[in-house]
Amino acid sequence: MVTDWSVDPDEYGHFLCKVWDEWLARDVGRVLVSFCETLVVQHMGMPAQNCIQSEFCGKGVALEHDGSVYACDHYVYPEYRLGNIRQCSLGDMVFSPTQVKFAYAVPAAAKMAAPLRAAPGSPQPRM
């Protein structure tokens, strides 16, 4: 959702490129930067590690301090609560019919954005 206070897309892309450059120059293997690591993994032919760069949502659950597990870190609301890790295994919740349904029925606003995939060659032009 774009709002008056949303970051300009070009500025965000510029920021991501600068993070990539810094990570590549100084931090590979020392500092985990999720979107950078995912670009590398995708270039290796493996699936994305996070939902924004993936075809399907549903694997990035949120675990709260009280043990509650939610369908997504962007959906920490009562209607998206899968259970509590103290009473159910994380695997059972992640692969539950409720979570699988969530993965294919993410709210329309989230589905409108195409997944970010690494472009052939350097990821910079895609970002």
Side-chain angles (χ1 to χ4, degrees):
M1 171 185 284
V2 177
T3 66
D4 291 341
W5 48 268
S6 295
V7 175
D8 177 78
D10 291 332
E11 290 176 11
Y12 185 59
H14 178 75
F15 166 76
L16 291 176
C17 289
K18 291 296 186 184
V19 170
W20 170 265
D21 291 342
E22 180 73 17
W23 179 79
L24 193 59
R26 295 185 175 93
D27 298 324
V28 173
R30 295 178 346 116
V31 177
L32 172 69
V33 178
S34 184
F35 93 91
C36 295
E37 300 277 344
T38 294
L39 290 173
V40 171
V41 166
Q42 287 178 306
H43 279 312
M44 295 168 63
M46 297 161 71
Q49 299 169 314
N50 52 39
C51 64
I52 194 167
Q53 292 167 291
S54 179
E55 278 189 67
F56 302 103
C57 292
K59 294 185 179 177
V61 297
L63 174 61
E64 291 293 299
H65 69 283
D66 66 352
S68 292
V69 177
Y70 293 86
C72 172
D73 64 335
H74 296 172
Y75 293 90
V76 181
Y77 302 107
E79 61 268 29
Y80 296 104
R81 186 176 181 274
L82 298 173
N84 191 292
I85 200 155
R86 293 181 183 127
Q87 291 135 4
C88 188
S89 81
L90 187 58
D92 287 347
M93 288 183 274
V94 169
F95 296 105
S96 70
T98 301
Q99 184 65 357
V100 170
K101 183 178 174 184
F102 173 84
Y104 290 95
V106 174
K111 281 186 175 179
M112 289 192 307
L116 296 175
R117 290 190 184 87
S122 170
Q124 229 167 310
R126 176 63 176 98
M127 296 307 210

